[in-house]
């Protein structure tokens, strides 16, 4: 009986192992997956109970929250600290759908308003700060440079390669890629999405996944690095810049505007003062040289002849 039991147990493990290995989330390395009673693979966000749809990209808000989870554990026995600046990665508050809440706050009771990309669009204030609604990011501009090469790529080939990349790797329909311009070694990509249907990915999520890929910190579970090929030649990305344009302009208080204007005025006055001082110095030097020259000429004219 023991050999038979061992054989049966081995067969069970052999069958179960592939199922267990397949219970992973290909689009989110921070997702925790497990087989449920029905034999399905259920994945949830690390550090929370949010379910993750592994057939598409995970919302950026959920990703940032999962990314900050180890930071929260490290700060467990430390005094409360402020989170990272709103222009970078911070511990966000997310809606159940995965979108950012319009108002974000840190542990120090400092709050600010964000757009749908989670980027701060107002000055920081106290808990009384009000954010009426979440402002949509309608345009995302991506600029990157590739490694120098003996000959430039063909522009249309670069556009086709990047369009295929965004469609296949990031599930972004080509209609949201409104322009790709190539001036070696600079590549400019413009994404536009006025409204996001529930079945499409958000351009903010796409930009975040792409940024992580370029920085060799991919969100995808696969360890393979980002590879972009243009007609068989590798497009090696060196630098990346991403900017966000909202449907409404950023909001700033008059105090900050006054401070900015004062700084500009101060710089202008200093520059003007330095310019005037230089003109006076040059004029004084020219006058002094002229007087010396005039005095020498007068001495030569007045000197009597000894003959």
């Amino acid at each position: 009986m023991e050999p038979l039991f061992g054989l049966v147990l081995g067969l069970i493990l052999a069958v179960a192992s592939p199922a267990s290995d397949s219970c992973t989330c290909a689009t989110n390395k921070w997702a925790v997956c497990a087989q449920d009673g029905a034999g399905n693979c259920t994945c949830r966000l690390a550090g929370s109970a949010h379910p993750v749809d592994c057939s598409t990209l995970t919302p950026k808000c959920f990703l940032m929250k999962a990314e900050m989870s180890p930071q929260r554990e490290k700060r467990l026995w430390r005094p409360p600290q402020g989170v990272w600046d709103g222009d970078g990665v911070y511990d966000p508050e997310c809606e159940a759908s995965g979108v950012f809440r319009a108002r974000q706050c840190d542990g120090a009771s400092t709050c600010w308003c964000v757009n749908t990309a989670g980027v701060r669009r107002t000055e920081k204030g106290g808990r009384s700060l009000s954010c009426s609604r979440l402002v949509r990011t309608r345009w995302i501009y991506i600029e990157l440079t590739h490694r120098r090469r003996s000959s430039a790529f063909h522009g249309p080939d670069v556009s086709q390669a990047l369009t295929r990349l965004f469609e296949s790797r990031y599930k972004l329909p080509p209609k949201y890629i409104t322009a790709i311009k190539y001036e070696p070694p600079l590549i400019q990509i413009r994404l536009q999405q006025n409204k996001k249907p529930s079945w499409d990915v958000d351009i903010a999520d796409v930009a975040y996944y792409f940024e992580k890929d370029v920085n060799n910190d991919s969100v995808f579970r696969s360890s393979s690095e980002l590879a972009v090929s243009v007609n068989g030649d590798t497009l090696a990305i060196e630098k990346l810049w991403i900017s966000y344009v909202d449907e409404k302009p950023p909001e700033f208080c008059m105090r900050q505007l006054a401070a900015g204007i004062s700084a500009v005025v101060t710089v202008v006055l200093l520059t003007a003062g330095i310019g005037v001082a230089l003109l006076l110095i040059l004029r004084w030097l020219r006058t002094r040289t002229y007087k010396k020259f005039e005095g020498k000429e007068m001495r030569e004219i007045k000197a009597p002849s000894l003959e």
Side-chain angles (χ1 to χ4, degrees), residues 31-51:
V32 179
C33 304
Q35 295 282 355
D36 57 24
N40 298 320
C41 183
T42 302
C43 298
R44 298 188 180 278
L45 184 68
S48 73
H50 290 293

Side-chain angles (χ1 to χ4, degrees), residues 209-222:
Y209 266 80
F210 182 65
E211 180 182 9
K212 302 290 281 185
D213 275 342
V214 171
N215 293 332
N216 294 322
D217 186 23
S218 179
V219 180
F220 294 102
R221 182 168 294 275
S222 173

Side-chain angles (χ1 to χ4, degrees), residues 266-284:
T266 301
V267 172
V268 171
L269 290 176
L270 286 175
T271 304
I274 293 172
V276 171
L278 287 174
L279 289 175
L280 291 175
I281 292 172
L282 290 173
R283 183 177 179 181
W284 176 76

